[in-house]
Amino acid sequence: MKKILLTLCAAVLTGCPFGSPAYTEWLMGTVCTVRFYGKSETAVAGNCFEAIREIERKISAVDPQSEVSAVNAGRQQTVSPLTGDLIAVSLKTAAETDGAFSPVLGRLTALWGFSGEAPRLPADEEIARLLPAARLSAAVYDSERHTVTLKSRQCAFDFGAVGKGYASDAVKKICEEAGATALIDLGGNIQTVGTKPDGTPWIISIRSPLTVGPAEAATLTLSGDWSLSTSGDYQKFFYENGVKYHHILDPATGKPADSGLRSVTVVSQRSGAETDALSTALFVMGETKGIEWQRRNPDVGVIWITRDNRLIVTGNLAGAFSPTADSPFTVSTLPLPPSNR
Ligand code: ADP
Ligand code: MG
């Protein structure tokens, strides 16, 4: 079994009290960290990473042995409850976001190749051929029988935009069952679990999507259990002929979402899976549609950072939000809906 890396955080860098033990492993193609507050929890951490490994084994679209690969290849229709629950939450969130989040883009994401070593710019005809299969109606899940039907060979699941959040839910459950207070960070998909023994709030750093200026755009000060997820154009990208191509695709065009945004952070008390899927969806929607969506979903907090360096934060986060000194962003706060003022 792989060794878990135990790190003691440096108070000055992260703002966490010296001595809160953090455990880190590279899983799901990213750095996964669980930091405990109170006492060291090596056995609990081991269970957390085992749960992430099990989820990755089942849902990876790049591992040919995974359950999702078997479904994508048409070899399997009945899925485990674990994969079934992920399909269900994905299809629900896809419907709620009018398909801006689409878990059936797998052939298109494979065409662009962002999860491999050599992403490339496909020809328009290649994209056009796969685009019809990216529609929501392309997948049907029967939650009683745990069966899934992909309606076309051009259609395949890709849970890249929801899987880490889904895994963070499993990790949270393990921490809760062990009575542990924890900060879970699976490649930027964060969940806070419980209240720290010293009663101080969680301070979560929101990364700046720019390479110049401070690395942090803002902080959020939160109490209790929260899910946070950021999607941005700076995470996986390449340039061709001076044009930037990033890994978040607009299901309407099959091309990187050209929504005028650099990043979107979603902060909610919904599940990690939903929060993860929503950050991707809101990135695709862009500022105007995203603000309208949030008005209809006032339980969700959002921070948008635009390409012209504006930072927009929803009114429900105003009390928790502090912009970083010297940050280059012009900050504006959206008003709360009249009923919440
Ligand atoms: P990250 O995984 O880098 O944290 P996201 O959560 O936004 O970022 O997920 C992006 C990944 O999700 C892409 O690499 C791709 O596999 C997949 N994807 C891209 N566009 C979409 C989309 N519109 N809906 C659902 N999944 C997407
Ligand atoms: Mg996501």
Side-chain angles (χ1 to χ4, degrees):
M1 209 178 91
K2 260 198 264 162
K3 272 255 174 73
I4 299 171
L5 202 63
L6 172 64
T7 50
L8 293 177
C9 77
V12 82
L13 285 179
T14 63
C16 69
F18 182 78
S20 16
Y23 300 79
T24 297
E25 275 203 34
W26 178 268
L27 292 165
M28 299 186 105
T30 193
V31 179
C32 297
T33 300
V34 188
R35 187 182 302 283
F36 294 100
Y37 292 79
K39 56 183 169 44
S40 96
E41 300 276 8
T42 306
V44 182
N47 293 341
C48 293
F49 292 124
E50 190 43 45
I52 303 172
R53 259 192 295 277
E54 189 198 347
I55 291 173
E56 187 176 18
R57 273 196 295 268
K58 287 210 159 63
I59 72 163
S60 165
V62 290
D63 172 1
Q65 306 300 324
S66 77
E67 191 169 47
V68 165
S69 292
V71 171
N72 284 343
R75 296 198 306 274
Q76 191 174 324
Q77 259 197 316
T78 306
V79 292
S80 60
L82 187 156
T83 301
D85 286 349
L86 175 63
I87 295 173
V89 70
S90 297
L91 293 178
K92 173 178 161 273
T93 311
E96 278 176 11
T97 60
D98 237 344
F101 165 80
S102 167
V104 289
L105 285 177
R107 304 263 181 246
L108 273 167
T109 51
L111 184 67
W112 283 90
F114 281 105
S115 43
E117 296 292 301
R120 68 172 186 99
L121 176 61
D124 282 350
E125 305 79 68
E126 293 178 282
I127 295 172
R129 203 162 43 80
L130 296 180
L131 204 51
R135 284 204 202 96
L136 274 186
S137 53
V140 177
Y141 177 60
D142 180 332
S143 58
E144 269 163 31
R145 293 196 179 84
H146 292 295
T147 54
V148 61
T149 312
L150 288 176
K151 294 222 177 126
S152 137
R153 297 279 297 152
Q154 311 279 37
C155 164
F157 283 119
D158 173 349
F159 295 115
V162 61
K164 293 191 288 280
Y166 185 65
S168 73
D169 291 326
V171 171
K172 179 180 183 195
K173 192 158 174 257
I174 290 167
C175 293
E176 281 173 342
E177 282 169 4
T181 301
L183 182 69
I184 302 158
D185 181 354
L186 310 188
N189 286 89
I190 291 176
Q191 291 216 51
T192 58
V193 188
T195 301
K196 289 193 237 166
D198 64 2
T200 56
W202 301 107
I203 304 202
I204 310 292
S205 169
I206 308 297
R207 186 182 150 177
S208 166
L210 304 180
T211 48
V212 288
E216 182 182 84
T219 55
L220 288 171
T221 305
L222 301 165
S223 300
D225 291 13
W226 291 89
S227 305
L228 298 98
S229 169
T230 298
S231 289
D233 70 353
Y234 56 89
Q235 282 158 335
K236 285 183 192 166
F237 60 89
F238 65 90
Y239 280 95
E240 189 148 321
N241 297 327
V243 179
K244 183 177 186 177
Y245 296 93
H246 62 80
H247 74 318
I248 302 173
L249 302 184
D250 182 343
T253 63
K255 295 181 179 174
D258 189 13
S259 60
L261 299 176
R262 282 194 208 281
S263 73
V264 176
T265 299
V266 171
V267 185
S268 84
Q269 290 185 312
R270 298 190 185 187
S271 68
E274 271 185 85
T275 304
D276 188 0
L278 285 176
S279 70
T280 309
L282 284 159
F283 187 94
V284 171
M285 282 182 216
E287 179 181 339
T288 307
K289 279 193 185 158
I291 289 174
E292 283 165 14
W293 185 92
Q294 193 276 335
R295 277 208 194 106
R296 297 192 300 274
N297 293 271
D299 64 305
V300 173
V302 185
I303 298 168
W304 292 267
I305 299 183
T306 65
R307 277 193 209 147
D308 57 2
N309 290 348
R310 288 173 299 119
L311 185 155
I312 305 154
V313 56
T314 51
N316 55 2
L317 294 178
F321 178 86
S322 316
T324 301
D326 302 329
S327 117
F329 305 110
T330 309
V331 175
S332 60
T333 307
L334 297 177
L336 282 171
S339 55
N340 290 18
R341 274 183 215 157

